[in-house]
C-alpha cells in the first residue's frame, strides 16, 4: 500500500526545497555530535508554523536510530480504535518512507488490540507531519505507524506493555516517537496552567496520573492515549530520565491569546 500525503501544502510546505529548508531551520539548534540516545520522545503535530519549532528542538537533540515507531492519534471517528499498517510506504514531498514490516509484525503479535487498518490512517495528520523531519534527519529510516482512537485506560496499558516488550526484545535500537498536542482552544493563561499539570505527570512517568489529571482538570490533550501508552512502555523499560525540552502555545506565533493550543516537546532516556 502507498499512503499518499493528506496535509502537504496545509500543515507543512508541499515544495520539497522549502520543506527541507524549514526543517533544517527548526533542527539547527544542536550540533550532531551532541545528540543523545533516547528511548522515546513526545512531539506536537500542529501545522509547522505553530509547532514545528517545538518538534524540531526535540528531534535535533536525538541520535535517531534507523527504526521508529510513530504512535499518534486517530482524530476522526473512522477505522479501528487501535490501527496499525504493516506494509507499504507513506509518501511526502520528500519521497517515500518505508514501513518496517518485521517490526510491525512483532507489534501485532505482541498486542492483539492492534488491527490492520488503512482507513484510520488515510487522512490522519498526527503521524504524517513527523515523516518529513525523519526524512531530513535520518534518511534511511523505516517506521511503523500506529494510530490510537481508544481512550480506555486498560486498552492503553495493554498497548504500552506490548510496545515495551517489543522494544526490550529488539536487537536494534528503536525510537518510540509519540505525538500529542496539549490543551486546546482556551485562553493562553488557562492553557498554560492546565498544561503544567499534564507535564508534571509526564515528567513523573505516571500514566494513571496523566489520565486522571486530564479527566479531572478537563485538559483537552488530544494525544492522551498515545502518551499514556508511552509512559506505560517506559516504565516497563525502566526509563528514568524524562526531560522537557521546549514548551510553547500557538499564541507565541499568532499573538492571539484568547484561543490557543499548547505544545510540549519531551525526551525520555
Amino acid at each position: 500500500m502507498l499512503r499518499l500525503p493528506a496535509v502537504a501544502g496545509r500543515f507543512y510546505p508541499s515544495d520539497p526545497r522549502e520543506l527541507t529548508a524549514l526543517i533544517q531551520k527548526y533542527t539547527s539548534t544542536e550540533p550532531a555530535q551532541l545528540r543523545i540516545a533516547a528511548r522515546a520522545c513526545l512531539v506536537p503535530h500542529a501545522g509547522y508554523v505553530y509547532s514545528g519549532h517545538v518538534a524540531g528542538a526535540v528531534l535535533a537533540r536525538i541520535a535517531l536510530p534507523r527504526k521508529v515507531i510513530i504512535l499518534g492519534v486517530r482524530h476522526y471517528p473512522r477505522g479501528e480504535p487501535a490501527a496499525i499498517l504493516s506494509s507499504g510506504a507513506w509518501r511526502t514531498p520528500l519521497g517515500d518512507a518505508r514501513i518496517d514490516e518485521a517490526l510491525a509484525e512483532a507489534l501485532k503479535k505482541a498486542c492483539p488490540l492492534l488491527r490492520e487498518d488503512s482507513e484510520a490512517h488515510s487522512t490522519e495528520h498526527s503521524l504524517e507531519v513527523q515523516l518529513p523531519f525523519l526524512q531530513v534527519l535520518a534518511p534511511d529510516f523505516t517506521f511503523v505507524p500506529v494510530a490510537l482512537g481508544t481512550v480506555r485506560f486498560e486498552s492503553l496499558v495493554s498497548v504500552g506493555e506490548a510496545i515495551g516488550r517489543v522494544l526490550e526484545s529488539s536487537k536494534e535500537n528503536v525510537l518510540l516517537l509519540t505525538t500529542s498536542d496539549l490543551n486546546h482552544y482556551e485562553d493562553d493563561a488557562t492553557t498554560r496552567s492546565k498544561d503544567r499539570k499534564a507535564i508534571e505527570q509526564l515528567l513523573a512517568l505516571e500514566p494513571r496520573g496523566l489520565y486522571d489529571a486530564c479527566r479531572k482538570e478537563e485538559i483537552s490533550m488530544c494525544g492522551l492515549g498515545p502518551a499514556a501508552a508511552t509512559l506505560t512502555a517506559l516504565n516497563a523499560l525502566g526509563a528514568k530520565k524524562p526531560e522537557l525540552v521546549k514548551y510553547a502555545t500557538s499564541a507565541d506565533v499568532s499573538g492571539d491569546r484568547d484561543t490557543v493550543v499548547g505544545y510540549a516537546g519531551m525526551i525520555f532516556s
Side-chain angles (χ1 to χ4, degrees):
M1 172 194 165
L2 178 62
R3 194 270 196 188
L4 298 176
V7 294
R10 294 192 293 128
F11 278 63
Y12 58 88
S14 57
D15 178 79
R17 287 178 295 181
E18 182 184 354
L19 177 56
T20 299
L22 187 60
I23 290 170
Q24 289 173 338
K25 173 186 173 183
Y26 290 146
T27 58
S28 62
T29 57
E30 197 75 29
Q33 66 269 24
L34 297 180
R35 292 175 184 166
I36 62 172
R39 295 180 183 271
C41 65
L42 177 78
V43 293
H45 54 244
Y48 281 16
V49 66
Y50 295 110
S51 69
H53 63 106
V54 177
V58 170
L59 295 173
R61 292 277 308 280
I62 297 174
L64 293 168
R66 293 184 60 185
K67 294 177 180 288
V68 182
I69 297 170
I70 306 180
L71 186 57
V73 186
R74 194 200 69 187
H75 280 93
Y76 308 104
R78 297 189 296 273
E80 294 287 345
I84 189 172
L85 288 177
S86 58
S87 64
W90 286 35
R91 180 163 293 170
T92 81
L94 302 182
D96 293 349
R98 292 187 301 110
I99 291 175
D100 192 305
E101 295 185 12
L103 183 57
E105 290 300 328
L107 274 175
K108 287 198 297 184
K109 184 177 180 180
C111 185
L113 286 175
L114 293 175
R115 301 292 181 88
E116 194 77 18
D117 180 32
S118 60
E119 185 177 14
H121 288 281
S122 61
T123 59
E124 178 51 55
H125 66 274
S126 66
L127 293 88
E128 179 182 332
V129 299
Q130 314 306 327
L131 294 177
F133 278 97
L134 296 173
Q135 287 174 307
V136 170
L137 296 172
D140 60 348
F141 82 100
T142 58
F143 78 108
V144 179
V146 177
L148 295 182
T150 181
V151 289
R152 290 185 64 252
F153 186 72
E154 294 75 16
S155 297
L156 301 174
V157 169
S158 294
V159 172
E161 289 176 342
I163 291 174
R165 290 194 297 272
V166 170
L167 294 182
E168 188 172 33
S169 63
S170 176
K171 295 179 180 179
E172 298 181 68
N173 290 334
V174 180
L175 175 70
L176 177 55
L177 190 161
T178 301
T179 178
S180 179
D181 296 338
L182 298 185
N183 197 57
H184 286 59
Y185 309 139
E186 295 188 85
D187 66 85
D188 193 66
T190 299
T191 288
R192 289 176 184 272
S193 176
K194 287 188 174 184
D195 286 351
R196 276 196 300 273
K197 296 172 182 177
I199 290 169
E200 286 174 0
Q201 297 301 320
L202 286 161
L203 290 171
L205 300 174
E206 288 286 354
R208 183 83 229 190
L210 176 66
Y211 188 88
D212 290 345
C214 286
R215 289 285 189 264
K216 180 181 178 182
E217 304 293 339
E218 298 183 335
I219 304 168
S220 52
M221 179 180 180
C222 60
L224 170 59
T230 295
L231 295 179
T232 301
L234 289 167
N235 284 329
L237 292 167
K240 299 294 183 185
K241 295 181 179 179
E243 177 188 355
L244 177 64
V245 176
K246 192 169 187 178
Y247 174 80
T249 74
S250 57
D252 296 328
V253 173
S254 70
D256 176 4
R257 301 194 175 277
D258 294 327
T259 307
V260 310
V261 179
Y263 312 117
M266 304 182 70
I267 291 174
F268 304 89
S269 302

